[in-house]
Amino acid sequence: MPNENELELERQKLYIDKCRVYVNAFQVERGRLPKACVVTFGCQMNARDSEKLTGILVQAGYELSDSEEEADFVLYNTCTVRDNANQRVYGRLGYLNSLKKKKPHLKIALCGCMMQEQAVVERIQKSYRFVDLIFGTHNIFRFAELLSEMLASEDMVVDIWEKTEKIVENLPVKRKYSYKSGVNIMFGCNNFCSYCIVPYVRGRERSREPEEILREIGTLVEDGVAEIMLLGQNVNSYGKNLENPITFAELLKEVEKIEGLRRIRFMTSHPKDLSDELIEVMQRSTKICRHLHLPLQAGSDRILQAMNRRYTKAQYLALVDKLKTAIPDIAITTDLIVGFPGETPEDVEETIDVVRRVQFDNAFTFIYSPRTGTPAAAMENQVPEETVHEGFNRLLAVVQETARERAALLQGKVMEALVEEVNEQDPAFVTGRLGNNMLVHFKADRRLVGKFVMVALDTCHGFYYTGRMVAGRGQAEHPR
Ligand code: SAH
Ligand code: SF4
Ligand code: F3S
């Protein structure tokens, strides 16, 4: 008896075939295949979702294109974590409307986190009637079905689910990079930080079975992937709700055993759940990269509490101490928010104090954006814009100063880099990523993309290096 997952996959395959009938008809009529352009906003989860959506489009026979102008089908995978992400989507929709006027057969679809907000869907239904398909984050595994419905319909197709318990495995995927890949280990979030919309648009936390994760990584490695990024909103709580519970650290130990896999990264770690067991596994590992993204958000205990982050400044600092003692060469990066309701300039000083003490290798600094439906958006003490900007600039200056200082420490070192791409400005150069996530540009043959090489870090340019390739272990071909 096929299980539920296999049945759903079979169903979706039938719809992919249906889409292919449309693609063939398009080809007969126009003498070419239809082109699809998928644009991704937001985080790594969305990027991975887009690879799944693209995989289905490729199976259906679409050709891929980076240009909305030449596309016959445009799909925006949206983000709503901050309002500027939304505004970008609305802005680009105006442009798509003008394209569609010139090219009436153009089909436009929207999916992703923004679509899980009722007000957004209502606005699109009212003011953006030219959109052909809207779906959300919980039903992307039904994309083939929705696409075929859209192709057969004159009206806007809308399918948004409130939630799902389902995790559909083994959908086709078209990876953006041949040598690295994201791997979802869990979906959703249960933390409800008071400013954050993610739990509302991504639903409750669900972990994938470890066997499924290991199988997927095994297949990726067979296909030439050398580096994987395990993805979840809070990877440290992975596995707690599985029928046979397993910790994230235990999962990492299993992933480490996969032969041929060279680098393991993961994102994101919530400080409240980072265990000693995890630090120990990282310390012993030869594959887990010496980089941890550990969002702090704020340094003031009062603000941290109002944010519902469930740790204090002292606890965060103690955790960083423990990490740096166990793994001295670890790079720590973070996310910071300025302008949370009630935040004073003194509170911002607390954040700056943590930046100075931790010496983050990098920090993404955000201006607080009120998100409808979150507790923080309803708080009365919203901070005036001017105060926010003043604090933001003050913080940013320190963040940049410490990041530069940290980067400069690598001067003259020889480190292993995974060559990621040919340099856009000068094709004689390539860009490599070090284990600690730092980028280095150096002269090399473009055929080294996807390979590991040793690079001498000659000149620090603030946040990246230029260097040169040297002989060493990294030059070994990545085993396939
Ligand atoms: N799950 C991750 C974060 C996902 S969102 C974690 O908990 O670390 C990525 C970042 O966006 C957050 O770390 C936070 O810094 C920022 N962010 C989230 N909501 C925001 C809001 N309403 N305004 C400004 N920044 C926000
Ligand atoms: Fe948002 Fe907090 Fe969940 Fe991260 S842990 S996704 S910031 S609610
Ligand atoms: Fe944005 Fe959704 Fe990610 S809101 S940050 S794309 S989970």
Side-chain angles (χ1 to χ4, degrees), residues 41-43 45-46 78-81 113 197-198 201-202 233:
F41 301 82
C43 65
M45 314 269 170
N46 256 20
T78 64
C79 169
T80 185
V81 78
C113 295
I197 199 165
V198 171
V201 295
R202 286 276 172 175
Q233 291 299 351

Side-chain angles (χ1 to χ4, degrees), residues 80-152:
T80 185
V81 78
R82 285 170 293 275
D83 190 52
N84 52 12
N86 294 44
Q87 294 314 322
R88 276 171 57 210
V89 170
Y90 287 125
R92 286 176 81 146
L93 274 178
Y95 168 65
L96 284 190
N97 190 21
S98 66
L99 281 182
K100 195 164 180 163
K101 284 192 178 129
K102 283 184 257 166
K103 199 167 51 172
H105 79 274
L106 173 65
K107 294 275 183 189
I108 298 167
L110 301 173
C111 67
C113 295
M114 234 176 116
M115 302 306 129
Q116 292 296 140
E117 290 181 274
Q118 208 182 337
V120 170
V121 175
E122 281 166 11
R123 177 169 170 187
I124 290 165
Q125 283 176 312
K126 192 160 156 260
S127 311
Y128 298 81
R129 294 292 317 158
F130 55 91
V131 171
D132 299 286
L133 167 63
I134 304 178
F135 59 103
T137 57
H138 299 305
N139 54 346
I140 68 160
F141 66 87
R142 289 237 163 135
F143 176 48
E145 184 174 350
L146 295 166
L147 183 67
S148 81
E149 216 179 296
M150 178 201 81
L151 292 169

Side-chain angles (χ1 to χ4, degrees), residues 359-405:
Q359 295 270 302
F360 290 111
D361 291 74
N362 199 1
F364 297 98
T365 312
F366 303 113
I367 286 181
Y368 167 71
S369 170
R371 309 312 292 133
T372 311
T374 62
M379 291 178 185
E380 275 166 12
N381 43 358
Q382 304 287 324
V383 183
E385 207 173 311
E386 206 178 308
T387 316
V388 177
H389 278 104
E390 191 275 326
F392 180 84
N393 292 339
R394 219 156 18 100
L395 175 61
L396 191 65
V398 181
V399 160
Q400 292 184 340
E401 181 190 311
T402 49
R404 276 204 185 89
E405 279 169 28

